[in-house]
Amino acid sequence: MDKTVASAAAAVADIPNGATVMIGGFGLCGNPENLITALFELGRRNLTIISNNAGTDHEGIGVMLAAGQIKKMISTYVGENAIFEEKARSGELETELLPQGTFAERIRAAGAGIPAFFTPAGVGTVVAEGKETREFDGRVYLMERWLKADFALVKAFRGDRWGNLTYRKTARNFNPVMATAAHVTIAEVEELLPPGGLDADSIVTPAIYVHRIVLGAGYRKPIERRTVRKG
Amino acid sequence: MDKTVASAAAAVADIPNGATVMIGGFGLCGNPENLITALFELGRRNLTIISNNAGTDHEGIGVMLAAGQIKKMISTYVGENAIFEEKARSGELETELLPQGTFAERIRAAGAGIPAFFTPAGVGTVVAEGKETREFDGRVYLMERWLKADFALVKAFRGDRWGNLTYRKTARNFNPVMATAAHVTIAEVEELLPPGGLDADSIVTPAIYVHRIVLGAGYRKPIERRTVRKG
Amino acid sequence: MTEQEKRIRIARRIALELRDGHFVNLGIGLPTLVANYVPEGIEVVLQSENGMLGVGPYPLEGEEDADLINAGKETVSELPGTSYFDSASSFAMIRGGHIEMAVMGGMEVAENGDLANWIVPGKIIKGMGGAMDLVATARQLYIAMEHTTRAGKPKILHRCNLPLTGVGVVDTIVTEMGFFRVTPQGIVIEEIARDFTPEQVQAATEAMLIVSPQLRPMPGT
Amino acid sequence: MTEQEKRIRIARRIALELRDGHFVNLGIGLPTLVANYVPEGIEVVLQSENGMLGVGPYPLEGEEDADLINAGKETVSELPGTSYFDSASSFAMIRGGHIEMAVMGGMEVAENGDLANWIVPGKIIKGMGGAMDLVATARQLYIAMEHTTRAGKPKILHRCNLPLTGVGVVDTIVTEMGFFRVTPQGIVIEEIARDFTPEQVQAATEAMLIVSPQLRPMPGT
């Protein structure tokens, strides 16, 4: 069993026009840079992208947005992207904004076979519009549905040829949960090891969730807000 | 911040009669041995125990059962315990049996602030009796509620004084999820380290979930079914 | 046939269903034997619902580890590529439909795919463990069981009499007599053991069997 | 007072609410400043909803790590005891009520505890991020904000005009003018900054304030 794919381009080649694609990362941290570039270069259109943010004007998902490849974005915060604003304002881009915990849990529910669950987040706000509410133990909750995708593009730190993954610091973010929620999960890693190369107790994404694995290269890892203190 | 408690006896001393207590472990694997013994020796009665199994006649939770300390058991499989059978048959012990995935997810939901969710497990069986069913995307699901406890007794492999925990092999089982679902979580560990002693990327239970931590001693770790192969 | 011969035949036949890279959950008892007959050259990853992916063989004598057991509470070993996770994550994996194939024992299977395998008649109820979750959500559910009870009574029935584990969940049944698919039309016998005739199989079966036009001999018989 | 003086006063006052061993989530902007004023001798653990418990100070120049940021996308550092987890686990922690205290900025707070802080009037909607989850489920929600808008309009109102972030969620408001509790009876001013009179505070507030019988001067003023 070897899930290794030779290149990011080969790994994403069968993503069709109109596909729903989850992309891991929080801002530009923990982005699957090689896979995003490959999907951009593949030139597919009418994509629905499920990702916490929309990149920046010149980085990450923002590049696909600028190229007009994205029909709809499902996100929680898109404040770092002027192109996004423009396209959303003009109606060219459809957007759905969700509370971040609801977004994360809907994705987790998809991976975990739970078609719906109840959450207190967003009760009494615009998020609740059109959604069923229900009281449990004297408190009102919203019912939320699972959120699935055709493909998930995730970034891990290390992986093995079976598809086991580990992550580094806050670059973990949405990657492990998206890895569980797509029909096909494609992972890119900074280091690719033989099975047994990762500590079995420390594996975060078990191999069952990963269908293809690519060794990434040339990571740029842009920092959005470089903040430092005096020594 | 130091959550260390000097002894298992001190750590469980405020568990009252009638408390609802989650106890980690799968069979006798990953049992909080020191805390179970301390709770047994404390002699509290009318306890509701939420644990996947009921120990064996002479090990684990079985000892508390034999002593008549348990009023009710919420479990998934209790087949290793003759005392259990006897007390359940006589009506002395109230029992609630759940599908194991539902059991685990109800506990996870309690820790995650989700009062109810839908699962396909148990539809059309005795488990569904009295429960709400609902169709999503053409399939029928049961609604299940969160399952909380007053106390959780969990066993980890290593821990630090903040309460961070890691686990070893399949001794992990229900321990991490129970750690999230109780008002007071008490952990026992085989090794107690200063903060920073555990790898930050490999911590399974973050410190926020653990209220007291005890260095365990004298682990017996009985094996229920010793199976070996020829060399 | 001895009981052990039947069990080995069933396990060997199910093992032929395994494909390289499959993630499989094997139930306690007879299904566990399937692991002994994985065909050469393919790699199958076994999931154990107590929180392990990549279950290895029983350990060598002296290498047993109390912290390393399968869902049957037997000591096992780990492989290169094994991972561990908690029980909620394990059942998220199961419930989410990520397990390609689950193999489980059966007490009764009905022609509509209903399964009863968790309450032994006349005995105290021990609990369903993970069975209800597994049967409800495995992509393919195989039932590995002897064709009849020890008293010789059929186990493939019109309707289950025992309390159900799942409704309409069974895809395939393998017994010492044959290989059966549960279809919307009823139970189709696709393979028959060479030591039985279709009439003998039907006589041991309460449900009306549909004989496949491509009925084949069951491999390994 | 300069804007910066106001912000420091508010952050310092909120920092006095911290207790040893508290797990706290500080929102982006003004709330982040609270971390600079943690009282001596107490240890507070900061949660960042992008998946970190135990957020350390900004890194030393040259030690920035692109894989290590807070929810404001600022580079941070780790501490002995830090742990990392995924976003679903992070919001399970938040939604499950494990965060003792969340501090967040506010645009409007109503006398019933309603909060609006995610849509800036006249600007395109950027999204609520984790705010709705945090306000709905933190055990204690503190709003850290200047008492009035830049145009001098009140922000503590009878009813919010902007789209809500949460309904009845605010426990405490701290501004440069005072320290306020949201109670079933209305908003109680418990502490007043020494450079304001109750009349001045009320004049800058649309909601009718209840003056606590134990009204105290606000520490740090």
Side-chain angles (χ1 to χ4, degrees):
Chain A
M1 192 174 57
D2 186 350
K3 296 175 179 169
T4 311
V5 177
S7 70
V12 303
D14 63 346
I15 299 182
N17 289 327
T20 296
V21 184
M22 286 178 180
I23 301 183
F26 183 93
L28 300 176
C29 179
N31 275 226
E33 295 182 16
N34 289 265
L35 295 170
I36 291 173
T37 299
L39 185 56
F40 164 66
E41 289 174 353
L42 190 65
R44 296 286 191 257
R45 304 188 80 80
N46 286 320
L47 299 172
T48 294
I49 301 293
I50 300 171
S51 190
N52 190 58
N53 312 91
T56 61
D57 286 346
H58 304 289
E59 297 284 356
I61 296 166
V63 176
M64 283 197 289
L65 259 177
Q69 295 177 279
I70 302 177
K71 180 184 69 178
K72 180 177 180 180
M73 287 265 347
I74 303 176
S75 305
T76 85
Y77 187 80
V78 292
E80 262 78 55
N81 194 315
I83 294 167
F84 183 98
E85 282 201 30
E86 193 182 301
K87 292 195 183 260
R89 216 188 280 266
S90 74
E92 184 186 332
L93 178 69
E94 203 181 328
T95 61
E96 186 178 336
L97 291 168
L98 302 171
Q100 199 167 129
T102 299
F103 178 80
E105 189 67 14
R106 288 181 62 190
I107 297 168
R108 191 252 172 201
I114 291 171
F117 62 91
F118 293 90
T119 174
V123 170
T125 75
V126 294
V127 166
E129 283 171 16
K131 285 179 188 158
E132 185 171 326
T133 59
R134 182 155 171 164
E135 201 174 306
F136 293 99
D137 307 335
R139 180 162 192 190
V140 178
Y141 294 85
L142 291 186
M143 190 174 83
E144 295 281 358
R145 296 295 312 278
W146 58 16
L147 182 61
K148 298 185 172 197
D150 302 318
F151 293 85
L153 309 185
V154 304
K155 159 69 170 59
F157 180 44
R158 297 194 174 103
D160 68 27
R161 291 190 181 83
W162 274 22
N164 290 303
L165 304 176
T166 63
Y167 303 85
R168 186 169 176 275
K169 305 189 188 285
T170 57
R172 186 182 306 197
N173 56 64
F174 290 92
N175 288 296
V177 65
M178 288 183 171
T180 70
H183 190 66
V184 177
T185 293
I186 309 171
E188 65 172 83
V189 295
E190 295 183 48
E191 281 182 42
L192 185 60
L193 304 166
L198 300 172
D199 172 38
D201 285 321
S202 303
I203 288 169
V204 173
T205 296
I208 196 169
Y209 293 115
V210 177
H211 304 93
R212 301 170 194 166
I213 188 163
V214 180
L215 179 61
Y219 283 100
R220 301 183 46 250
K221 297 195 181 181
I223 291 176
E224 289 183 69
R225 301 224 169 86
R226 188 175 304 271
T227 43
V228 295
R229 72 179 196 273
K230 298 267 155 54
Chain B
M1 192 174 55
D2 185 350
K3 296 174 179 171
T4 311
V5 176
S7 69
V12 303
D14 62 346
I15 299 181
N17 289 327
T20 297
V21 184
M22 287 178 180
I23 301 183
F26 183 93
L28 300 176
C29 179
N31 275 226
E33 297 182 14
N34 288 268
L35 295 170
I36 292 173
T37 300
L39 184 56
F40 163 68
E41 289 174 352
L42 190 64
R44 296 288 189 255
R45 304 188 80 79
N46 286 319
L47 299 172
T48 295
I49 301 292
I50 300 172
S51 191
N52 190 58
N53 314 92
T56 61
D57 286 347
H58 304 291
E59 297 284 354
I61 296 167
V63 176
M64 282 196 288
L65 259 175
Q69 295 177 279
I70 302 178
K71 179 184 68 177
K72 180 176 179 181
M73 286 267 344
I74 302 177
S75 305
T76 85
Y77 187 79
V78 292
E80 262 79 55
N81 195 314
I83 293 166
F84 183 97
E85 284 202 28
E86 194 182 300
K87 292 196 183 260
R89 218 188 280 269
S90 73
E92 183 186 331
L93 177 68
E94 204 182 327
T95 62
E96 187 178 337
L97 291 168
L98 302 171
Q100 200 168 127
T102 300
F103 178 80
E105 188 67 15
R106 287 180 63 189
I107 296 168
R108 191 253 173 202
I114 291 172
F117 62 91
F118 293 90
T119 174
V123 171
T125 74
V126 293
V127 166
E129 284 171 16
K131 285 180 188 158
E132 185 172 327
T133 59
R134 182 157 174 164
E135 200 175 306
F136 294 98
D137 307 335
R139 181 161 192 189
V140 178
Y141 294 85
L142 291 186
M143 191 174 84
E144 295 280 0
R145 296 295 312 277
W146 57 18
L147 182 60
K148 299 187 170 194
D150 302 319
F151 294 84
L153 309 185
V154 304
K155 160 69 171 58
F157 181 42
R158 295 195 175 102
D160 68 27
R161 291 190 181 83
W162 274 23
N164 290 302
L165 304 176
T166 63
Y167 301 86
R168 186 169 176 276
K169 304 187 189 286
T170 58
R172 188 183 304 197
N173 57 63
F174 291 92
N175 287 297
V177 65
M178 287 181 172
T180 70
H183 190 66
V184 176
T185 293
I186 309 170
E188 64 172 84
V189 295
E190 295 183 48
E191 280 182 43
L192 184 60
L193 304 166
L198 300 171
D199 172 38
D201 284 322
S202 304
I203 288 170
V204 174
T205 296
I208 197 170
Y209 293 115
V210 176
H211 304 93
R212 302 171 193 166
I213 189 163
V214 180
L215 179 62
Y219 282 100
R220 301 184 46 252
K221 297 195 182 183
I223 291 176
E224 288 183 70
R225 301 221 170 89
R226 188 176 304 270
T227 45
V228 295
R229 70 180 198 274
K230 298 266 152 52
Chain C
M1 287 179 92
T2 66
E3 195 178 321
Q4 188 58 10
E5 285 166 347
K6 291 181 189 174
R7 290 159 58 91
I8 290 172
R9 174 184 286 186
I10 295 165
R12 292 178 80 105
R13 177 60 193 88
I14 290 178
L16 295 178
E17 299 290 293
L18 300 169
R19 298 290 171 269
D20 190 45
H22 260 187
F23 291 86
V24 177
N25 183 293
L26 300 177
I28 296 168
L30 167 43
T32 302
L33 294 180
V34 173
N36 298 339
Y37 304 104
V38 178
E40 287 282 311
I42 76 164
E43 199 166 19
V44 164
V45 182
L46 302 179
Q47 201 253 19
S48 192
E49 64 265 30
N50 55 320
M52 182 179 191
L53 196 64
V55 180
Y58 294 141
L60 292 171
E61 178 101 36
E63 295 187 358
E64 312 93 287
D65 183 339
D67 288 341
L68 181 44
I69 63 170
N70 65 18
K73 290 157 194 159
E74 299 172 327
T75 46
V76 293
S77 64
E78 87 182 20
L79 300 170
T82 292
S83 58
Y84 300 103
F85 33 85
D86 69 63
S87 300
S89 301
S90 183
F91 282 93
M93 188 182 284
I94 290 167
R95 203 188 311 102
H98 305 281
I99 306 285
E100 266 110 357
M101 184 173 158
V103 185
M104 204 172 270
M107 293 193 285
E108 296 179 349
V109 179
E111 55 197 4
N112 65 352
D114 287 0
L115 171 69
N117 71 352
W118 76 282
I119 296 183
V120 184
K123 297 221 175 156
I124 193 139
I125 297 173
K126 296 185 177 218
M128 64 293 280
M132 287 189 178
D133 307 272
L134 276 160
V135 305
T137 54
R139 287 196 220 154
Q140 288 290 320
L141 177 63
Y142 284 73
I143 299 301
M145 65 178 189
E146 294 177 37
H147 203 91
T148 55
T149 66
R150 286 187 190 180
K153 295 227 171 116
K155 297 170 73 174
I156 302 176
L157 307 172
H158 290 304
R159 302 244 164 291
C160 292
N161 301 307
L162 295 170
L164 297 181
T165 309
V167 171
V169 293
V170 178
D171 298 291
T172 304
I173 309 162
V174 181
T175 76
E176 75 280 11
M177 290 188 165
F179 181 100
F180 308 84
R181 295 277 188 200
V182 180
T183 75
Q185 289 69 45
I187 293 177
V188 177
I189 176 164
E190 295 193 344
E191 296 175 6
I192 185 164
R194 292 179 202 271
D195 44 356
F196 292 98
T197 64
E199 293 70 28
Q200 285 174 312
V201 179
Q202 181 63 73
T205 307
E206 182 190 285
M208 183 60 63
L209 295 174
I210 302 166
V211 178
S212 166
Q214 287 86 42
L215 183 69
R216 302 177 301 274
M218 184 156 103
T221 65
Chain D
M1 286 179 93
T2 67
E3 195 178 322
Q4 188 58 10
E5 284 167 345
K6 289 181 189 174
R7 288 158 60 89
I8 290 172
R9 175 185 285 186
I10 294 165
R12 292 179 79 107
R13 177 61 192 89
I14 290 178
L16 295 178
E17 298 291 293
L18 301 169
R19 297 290 171 271
D20 190 45
H22 259 187
F23 291 87
V24 176
N25 184 294
L26 300 177
I28 297 169
L30 167 44
T32 302
L33 294 181
V34 173
N36 298 339
Y37 304 104
V38 178
E40 286 282 312
I42 77 165
E43 200 166 19
V44 164
V45 181
L46 302 179
Q47 202 254 17
S48 191
E49 63 265 31
N50 55 320
M52 182 178 190
L53 196 64
V55 180
Y58 294 141
L60 292 172
E61 179 100 38
E63 295 187 358
E64 313 91 289
D65 183 337
D67 288 342
L68 182 43
I69 62 170
N70 65 18
K73 291 157 193 160
E74 300 173 325
T75 46
V76 294
S77 64
E78 88 183 20
L79 301 170
T82 291
S83 58
Y84 300 103
F85 33 84
D86 69 62
S87 301
S89 301
S90 183
F91 282 93
M93 189 181 282
I94 290 168
R95 203 189 310 101
H98 304 281
I99 305 285
E100 266 112 356
M101 183 174 160
V103 184
M104 205 172 270
M107 293 192 287
E108 296 178 349
V109 179
E111 56 198 1
N112 66 351
D114 288 0
L115 171 69
N117 71 351
W118 75 283
I119 296 184
V120 184
K123 298 222 174 158
I124 192 137
I125 297 173
K126 296 186 176 217
M128 64 293 280
M132 286 189 180
D133 307 273
L134 276 161
V135 304
T137 53
R139 286 195 221 154
Q140 288 291 319
L141 177 63
Y142 284 73
I143 300 301
M145 65 178 191
E146 294 177 39
H147 203 90
T148 55
T149 67
R150 287 190 190 177
K153 294 225 172 117
K155 297 170 72 174
I156 303 176
L157 308 172
H158 288 306
R159 301 244 164 289
C160 292
N161 301 307
L162 295 171
L164 296 182
T165 309
V167 171
V169 292
V170 177
D171 297 293
T172 304
I173 310 162
V174 181
T175 76
E176 76 279 11
M177 290 187 164
F179 181 100
F180 307 83
R181 295 276 188 201
V182 180
T183 74
Q185 288 70 44
I187 294 177
V188 177
I189 176 164
E190 295 194 344
E191 296 174 6
I192 185 163
R194 291 180 203 270
D195 42 358
F196 293 98
T197 65
E199 294 69 28
Q200 285 172 310
V201 179
Q202 181 64 71
T205 307
E206 181 189 287
M208 183 60 63
L209 296 175
I210 302 166
V211 178
S212 166
Q214 287 86 42
L215 182 69
R216 299 178 301 274
M218 184 156 103
T221 65

